[in-house]
Amino acid sequence: RGHPLHAARPGCDAGEALVPFRVHDVEAVAPSAVEHFLYCAAHGGKHGWTRLAWLVDLDRLSANFAERDWDRVVELARRRRLTRLLALGCALAGVLLAT
């Protein structure tokens, strides 16, 4: 088994992971806000929060989260064994940005 972050690729879980969109008549997909939030928390933690922009992303992405979004974040973090990195990211965003 590889590092848990390897499983954090956008879209590796069915459901809300990817959001389709069009750009100049080209179909594309992007990570959902929930997927992006978890990615920023995991990636920031992995790299020791050397880029504080990841914390700003956590703040902006979570600004409109509903309870079901938080449930999904926690569910994905548990499944991917990223709960410690998620907790650290949320704690840092809370202290530094009052997220």
Side-chain angles (χ1 to χ4, degrees), residues 16-36:
E16 304 171 12
L18 296 177
V19 177
F21 67 96
R22 289 181 75 78
V23 176
H24 300 289
D25 296 326
V26 175
E27 296 283 334
V29 292
S32 69
V34 167
E35 188 76 31
H36 191 175

Side-chain angles (χ1 to χ4, degrees), residues 2-64:
H3 191 280
L5 287 176
H6 290 263
R9 291 183 312 268
C12 70
D13 290 294
E16 304 171 12
L18 296 177
V19 177
F21 67 96
R22 289 181 75 78
V23 176
H24 300 289
D25 296 326
V26 175
E27 296 283 334
V29 292
S32 69
V34 167
E35 188 76 31
H36 191 175
F37 183 90
L38 184 58
Y39 175 81
C40 288
H43 204 67
K46 177 184 177 189
H47 293 287
W49 297 102
T50 55
R51 294 186 181 163
L52 294 178
W54 289 313
L55 289 175
V56 175
D57 286 346
L58 293 181
D59 181 63
R60 298 310 322 140
L61 287 164
S62 65
N64 296 315

Side-chain angles (χ1 to χ4, degrees), residues 42-84:
H43 204 67
K46 177 184 177 189
H47 293 287
W49 297 102
T50 55
R51 294 186 181 163
L52 294 178
W54 289 313
L55 289 175
V56 175
D57 286 346
L58 293 181
D59 181 63
R60 298 310 322 140
L61 287 164
S62 65
N64 296 315
F65 273 8
E67 188 173 336
R68 66 180 169 76
D69 296 319
W70 287 113
D71 292 343
R72 181 84 171 126
V73 167
V74 171
E75 172 193 338
L76 288 175
R78 282 186 183 145
R79 188 179 310 150
R80 296 173 183 170
R81 300 180 313 151
L82 297 171
T83 53
R84 191 170 290 166

Side-chain angles (χ1 to χ4, degrees), residues 83-99:
T83 53
R84 191 170 290 166
L85 291 175
L86 175 62
L88 176 61
C90 288
L92 284 171
V95 169
L96 297 176
L97 300 171
T99 297

